[in-house]
Amino acid sequence: MTINDFFYILRWFVIFFIIGLSCLPLNLYFFKSFKDKGYIFSKLIGLSILSYIVFILGILHLAKFNQITIIFILILLILSNYFIARVKNINIISIVKNKFKIFLLEELIFLTALIFWSFVRSNFPDIHGLEKFMDFGFINSILRTDYLPPKDMWYTPLTINYYYFGHLVTAVLIKLSAIPSFISFNLMVSTIFAFTLTLSFSIGMNLFDNNKFSLRSTITGLISAVFVSFAGNLTTIYAFFKPYVNEHPVPFWNLNFLPLSFPNNYWYPNATRFIPFTIHEFPIYSFVVSDLHGHVLDIPFVLLTIAFALSVFYKKTLKIIDLIFFSFLLSVMYMTNAWDGLIYLILGFLVILFLKTGTYDTIKKFIILFTGFITFSLPFSLFFKPFVFGIGILCAPTFLTTIGKIGPFLFEVDHCQKSPIWQLLLLYGFLYFFVVSLFLFLKFKKHYKIIKSDIFVLILIILSTLLIIIPEFIYIKDIYPLHYRANTMFKLTYQAFMMLSISSSFILIKLISNIKNKLFLIIFFILSLSLIYLILIYPVFAINSYYRDLKDYQGLNGTKYLSTLYPGDYNLINWVNENIKGQPVILEASGDSYTDYARISANTGLPTIIGWSVHEWLWRGSYDVAAPRIKDVETLYTTKNLTLFKSLVRKYSISYAVISSLEKSKYPNLNVSMFKNFGKLIYQNKEAKLYKIFY
C-alpha cells in the first residue's frame, strides 16, 4: 500500500472517530444495556443524525450543502450531546475507563477491516461496470449541488427519483474529509465492509451473558462478524463436481464427483443467480463487486437498527424517546433502500409485540413508531415517486388471470415461477441447519430456561423465514418481464441472510455450551464445521477471481482506468471537474444501461439530457420518457437544421457539448459544424473536445 493511500485511509478513519465522539453520550444512553455500551454504533448514530440535518437544511434551502455547513452542524452535535451527558448524568470518563479495552478492540477491528478491504479494492479499484456509473453519478451530482434534492445527472432538469440518502451520506463524508470522490468511493465500500464486520461482532457479543463479558460472548461476536461479512452459501459444493452450464443449474448429485479437480472452475456469481430469473445476493458478494448501491449503503444502518432493537428488547420499559429514535432509523433505511425501512418496521412491531406491555400500550407504541417513520421520511417522500406497479400473485388461478387486476393485486398469465426446494436448501440450508438444531435442542432439553436473547433470535428467525417465503407467492411488479420476482427476492432475502447469519452464530455457541451428550455434541460440531467450511471458501473464490489473486495493486484511484481505456475522456473529465462549477447541462452520447455511455455525467455530476435509458425507464415508470430524449440527442449531434438545433439547445438549456470517441462511433454522421457555429471550443486533446454552447 502506498503512503498516499494509507494517509487517505487514516484521514477517513479520523473523520469517523470524530463523528463517533460527537454522539457518544446519546449512544451510551441508548445502548446502556450492552456490555460494550454499543460503542462502535456511535459512529453511525453521529453520521445518520449529521447527514439527516444536512438533508433537512438542504431541502428547506436554509443552508448550502458545503463543508462549512457540515462542520457547523457537527460542532452543534458535539455541544448538544455533551449537554445530554450532563442532563442524564452520563459519566463519560468513567465509562471510557471501565470499557477502554473493548472500545480499543472495536476500534482496532474497524481500522484493520478498513485497511484490509481498501487493500482488496486497490487491486481492482475501477469505478466501472455493473451499477458503478449510476452510484458514482449520484454522489458526484450531490457534491455539486447547493440545495437538495439533488439533480438526476441522467435526466435534466429533474431530481433523482431513487433512494439516494446513502449516497448523500457518502457525499457528506467526502465534503468533511476533502478526499476526492474517485478515492472516497472505494473508501466508502471499505467502510461498509468494516462496519459490517465490527457491528456484527458487537451484536453477536451482546446476545450472550447479559451485561457480562465472557469467552463465549466474545467468540459469538467473532463468529457473527465472520458469518455476516464473509459467508457465502452451499452452492460452493459444485466446486467438487463437474461444472453445469451457467444459468442452468442441476442437482449436484446428478453430476460427476471430481474432487481432484477442485475448485473445478467454480464461478462465484452463480451463487447469487442460482435460481433462474432471480437474484439472491448476500454481503460478501456485494463487497466483492463493490457497487455503492442502496442495499449495500444500508447494511450499516440495518445492523444499527437490529442492535437498537436488541437493546430495546433488553429494557424493561420502552420509552417515547426509544420509539422516536427507532422511527428515525427506519426512515434513514427507507431513504437509503426503501424495502429495508418497511422490513425493519415489521421487526419493530414484533419487538413491541413480544414486550407484552398490554393491548392499549402496544397499539399506542405501534402508532408512534409508524407515525414517526412517516414523519421523518416525509421530506424525502415529497420528492420521490415510487416506481412499483402493484403486487403480483404467483401462479394465480386461470379465472383470476382473465380479470387481470383487482385493486393493487395483479393476476398475470404465465407468471408462475417457483423455487425448487433443493435450490432453496443450497442457498439457505447452512443457516437453517442451525435453526432446526435449536428447535430440536429446545424440544428435547429439559428444564431449559428461555432468556430474552433466545426470544430475540426467535424473532429474527420468524421474520427471516417470512422474507424467504414471500417471493414464492407474491412479487412487487416492476418493468422487468422475465425477472418479475427477481427484485422482490433480492431485497427480502438479502435481509434474511444477515439476520439468519447473526442468529446462526448465536445458536452455534449456545448449543456447544449446552449440549451435554458427547456423541450429539461431536455430531453437531462435525456437521457445523463441514458447513462452515463450504460457506467460507466462497470469499476465497470470489476475492481471488475478481481481484486477480490480490497481486495487482493499483491504488485507490477509481477513475485511473480511464487514462488507459479512454485517455481523452479521462483528461476531459479532470478538466471539467477542476474548471466547471455548479451543474450546467452537458451534452453527451446516450446509450444502454451497463455500457460506457453517460461516462462524462457519471464522472462529473453534470446533468445530461439522457443517460442510461433503461434505468430512467425504471425510475420514471415508462420508456416513453427516455425514447424522445434519445432521439433528441441524436438530432443534436447530426442535424444540419439550424433552427431545430437551436430549439433543442434551448429546450434542454445545454451549456456544454462533448465530442469524443463514443459520440463519433454512436453517430457516424456527426455534424461538428453546428458546435463550431454555436459554441466555442474550450478544451481539446487528441481524442476529445468540449464546446461551450451559446444560445
Side-chain angles (χ1 to χ4, degrees):
M1 181 172 289
T2 65
I3 294 296
N4 283 342
D5 285 344
F6 179 76
F7 277 114
Y8 278 134
I9 295 168
L10 191 60
R11 190 197 309 181
W12 192 259
F13 173 78
V14 169
I15 290 294
F16 270 99
F17 184 76
I18 294 170
I19 291 173
L21 290 180
S22 73
C23 280
L24 183 58
L26 186 63
N27 182 84
L28 294 174
Y29 172 76
F30 282 133
F31 289 98
K32 56 189 172 186
S33 60
F34 273 26
K35 54 176 66 72
D36 62 348
K37 303 303 176 186
Y39 170 77
I40 199 65
F41 295 97
S42 64
K43 300 178 190 295
L44 268 180
I45 291 177
L47 183 59
S48 59
I49 295 174
L50 172 64
S51 301
Y52 187 79
I53 295 173
V54 169
F55 173 65
I56 295 299
L57 293 177
I59 289 287
L60 298 176
H61 287 217
L62 294 177
K64 289 187 176 182
F65 179 64
N66 56 35
Q67 190 182 57
I68 294 173
T69 299
I70 296 168
I71 292 174
F72 179 73
I73 296 169
L74 185 58
I75 292 171
L76 288 180
L77 266 181
I78 294 171
L79 294 175
S80 60
N81 263 265
Y82 285 86
F83 174 75
I84 291 171
R86 294 192 64 178
V87 171
K88 295 294 183 181
N89 197 28
I90 301 172
N91 192 331
I92 299 173
I93 295 176
S94 175
I95 293 173
V96 171
K97 283 183 179 179
N98 291 332
K99 303 290 184 180
F100 179 76
K101 289 183 180 180
I102 188 63
F103 289 179
L104 179 61
L105 175 62
E106 290 182 343
E107 287 287 6
L108 288 174
I109 293 173
F110 181 79
L111 179 59
T112 303
L114 180 63
I115 293 172
F116 169 69
W117 205 262
S118 294
F119 169 75
V120 172
R121 279 298 297 157
S122 295
N123 283 269
F124 189 31
D126 303 1
I127 308 173
H128 184 228
L130 299 176
E131 304 279 1
K132 293 180 185 64
F133 269 14
M134 169 198 152
D135 297 318
F136 197 42
F138 281 177
I139 293 167
N140 285 322
S141 179
I142 295 169
L143 288 170
R144 282 184 172 270
T145 192
D146 285 331
Y147 299 104
L148 300 166
K151 289 184 178 179
D152 184 344
M153 72 286 171
W154 287 342
Y155 200 84
T156 182
L158 299 187
T159 58
I160 295 173
N161 193 55
Y162 198 74
Y163 329 120
Y164 61 81
F165 190 80
H167 302 90
L168 172 65
V169 170
T170 307
V172 166
L173 290 167
I174 293 171
K175 289 281 190 182
L176 198 55
S177 66
I179 298 174
S181 61
F182 54 80
I183 300 288
S184 299
F185 185 98
N186 286 319
L187 286 176
M188 192 63 181
V189 173
S190 303
T191 301
I192 295 169
F193 172 80
F195 268 130
T196 304
L197 194 74
T198 318
L199 302 182
S200 300
F201 168 78
S202 179
I203 294 171
M205 181 176 59
N206 283 290
L207 278 169
F208 259 117
D209 299 326
N210 296 328
N211 204 28
K212 300 182 297 181
F213 286 103
S214 67
L215 178 61
R216 68 174 186 174
S217 68
T218 305
I219 292 174
T220 304
L222 292 172
I223 294 174
S224 176
V226 170
F227 281 4
V228 178
S229 307
F230 286 104
N233 54 40
L234 296 179
T235 59
T236 52
I237 199 169
Y238 283 93
F240 298 92
F241 291 82
K242 181 180 178 181
Y244 62 82
V245 178
N246 284 338
E247 299 181 6
H248 297 87
V250 296
F252 63 85
W253 55 84
N254 290 340
L255 299 170
N256 291 331
F257 182 52
L258 303 172
L260 297 180
S261 64
F262 176 87
N264 203 22
N265 297 317
Y266 177 80
W267 195 49
Y268 72 93
N270 280 346
T272 68
R273 306 296 191 275
F274 188 62
I275 299 174
F277 304 107
T278 69
I279 304 172
H280 33 77
E281 290 185 16
F282 38 83
I284 186 59
Y285 176 83
S286 302
F287 299 144
V288 168
V289 299
S290 293
D291 287 353
L292 268 181
H293 227 40
H295 66 282
V296 180
L297 286 160
D298 205 33
I299 292 174
F301 298 117
V302 162
L303 293 172
L304 170 58
T305 304
I306 292 172
F308 185 73
L310 177 60
S311 72
V312 164
F313 202 71
Y314 280 156
K315 295 178 182 178
K316 293 181 180 179
T317 57
L318 184 57
K319 298 178 180 179
I320 297 296
I321 186 65
D322 297 322
L323 290 167
I324 291 173
F325 187 68
F326 206 149
S327 63
F328 168 73
L329 293 178
L330 293 174
S331 72
V332 166
M333 286 190 292
Y334 177 77
M335 296 185 294
T336 304
N337 191 43
W339 293 74
D340 298 349
L342 302 174
I343 289 169
Y344 289 95
L345 178 64
I346 299 173
L347 176 63
F349 286 166
L350 289 173
V351 166
I352 293 171
L353 192 63
F354 273 81
L355 285 175
K356 298 179 181 178
T357 56
T359 304
Y360 172 76
D361 195 49
T362 298
I363 293 173
K364 183 178 74 173
K365 286 170 180 171
F366 281 173
I367 293 171
I368 293 172
L369 185 65
F370 183 74
T371 304
F373 166 55
I374 296 297
T375 303
F376 279 118
S377 58
L378 184 61
F380 172 82
S381 300
L382 289 174
F383 299 94
F384 174 70
K385 182 181 178 182
F387 35 84
V388 298
F389 312 122
I391 302 171
I393 308 298
L394 288 166
C395 305
T398 304
F399 76 94
L400 286 176
T401 60
T402 58
I403 297 172
K405 183 176 182 181
I406 301 176
F409 296 100
L410 301 173
F411 305 97
E412 301 180 281
V413 179
D414 298 326
H415 279 56
C416 194
Q417 294 175 4
K418 292 284 186 178
S419 305
I421 296 297
W422 69 271
Q423 290 185 329
L424 289 173
L425 285 174
L426 284 176
L427 296 182
Y428 309 111
F430 160 73
L431 300 166
Y432 278 96
F433 165 76
F434 293 106
V435 172
V436 172
S437 297
L438 175 64
F439 288 145
L440 289 174
F441 168 78
L442 293 175
K443 180 178 180 180
F444 293 108
K445 178 71 173 178
K446 295 180 180 179
H447 310 300
Y448 176 78
K449 184 179 179 181
I450 294 177
I451 58 176
K452 280 196 171 183
S453 54
D454 295 325
I455 299 173
F456 186 79
V457 167
L458 177 62
I459 292 173
L460 295 184
I461 291 170
I462 291 170
L463 180 55
S464 300
T465 304
L466 182 65
L467 297 178
I468 292 171
I469 290 173
I470 285 175
E472 303 302 318
F473 295 95
I474 64 173
Y475 58 94
I476 304 300
K477 179 71 174 178
D478 52 33
I479 67 171
Y480 302 109
L482 294 178
H483 299 75
Y484 46 83
R485 71 174 182 139
N487 204 38
T488 303
M489 180 179 285
F490 174 21
K491 297 299 174 65
L492 298 188
T493 60
Y494 200 89
Q495 302 309 315
F497 190 95
M498 287 194 287
M499 286 188 278
L500 287 172
S501 294
I502 293 169
S503 303
S504 296
S505 65
F506 171 81
I507 296 168
L508 174 61
I509 302 304
K510 167 73 74 174
L511 297 191
I512 288 176
S513 302
N514 286 277
I515 294 176
K516 302 303 180 183
N517 185 297
K518 288 186 178 180
L519 178 61
F520 288 165
L521 181 60
I522 292 171
I523 293 172
F524 175 73
F525 185 78
I526 292 174
L527 289 174
S528 298
L529 208 58
S530 301
L531 294 173
I532 290 170
Y533 169 76
L534 285 174
I535 59 117
L536 289 187
I537 59 174
Y538 181 84
V540 178
F541 296 146
I543 293 172
N544 286 338
S545 176
Y546 196 89
Y547 293 99
R548 305 159 187 171
D549 295 322
L550 300 179
K551 295 178 181 178
D552 187 22
Y553 186 87
Q554 301 173 46
L556 287 169
N557 188 332
T559 58
K560 191 177 179 181
Y561 75 95
L562 284 167
S563 64
T564 302
L565 188 60
Y566 301 110
D569 292 348
Y570 178 69
N571 293 323
L572 185 148
I573 286 166
N574 289 336
W575 188 91
V576 167
N577 283 329
E578 290 172 6
N579 294 278
I580 298 178
K581 307 301 178 185
Q583 289 191 283
V585 178
I586 191 166
L587 174 67
E588 65 175 325
S590 65
D592 293 333
S593 296
Y594 309 108
T595 66
D596 289 348
Y597 289 100
R599 79 278 184 209
I600 307 298
S601 48
N603 283 277
T604 65
L606 294 183
T608 193
I609 296 173
I610 185 68
W612 283 359
S613 53
V614 175
H615 277 63
E616 289 298 342
W617 174 12
L618 173 65
W619 302 337
R620 307 295 167 184
S622 171
Y623 194 72
D624 292 340
V625 301
R629 290 184 172 227
I630 295 171
K631 183 63 178 176
D632 286 347
V633 171
E634 180 181 8
T635 300
L636 281 160
Y637 275 110
T638 60
T639 187
K640 296 180 181 180
N641 186 320
L642 299 177
T643 303
L644 180 58
F645 181 85
K646 287 194 289 185
S647 68
L648 289 175
V649 167
R650 292 192 185 99
K651 177 181 179 181
Y652 295 110
S653 301
I654 299 170
S655 296
Y656 298 92
V658 174
I659 296 179
S660 189
S661 57
L662 291 183
E663 283 72 32
K664 292 173 184 176
S665 62
K666 178 87 175 186
Y667 311 112
N669 298 321
L670 193 150
N671 184 13
V672 182
S673 62
M674 283 293 184
F675 301 99
K676 291 180 178 178
N677 293 334
F678 292 97
K680 177 184 177 182
L681 182 64
I682 59 172
Y683 175 84
Q684 67 174 328
N685 56 52
K686 290 182 180 179
E687 291 89 15
K689 294 180 179 180
L690 181 67
Y691 287 89
K692 170 69 177 175
I693 305 298
F694 303 105
Y695 58 92

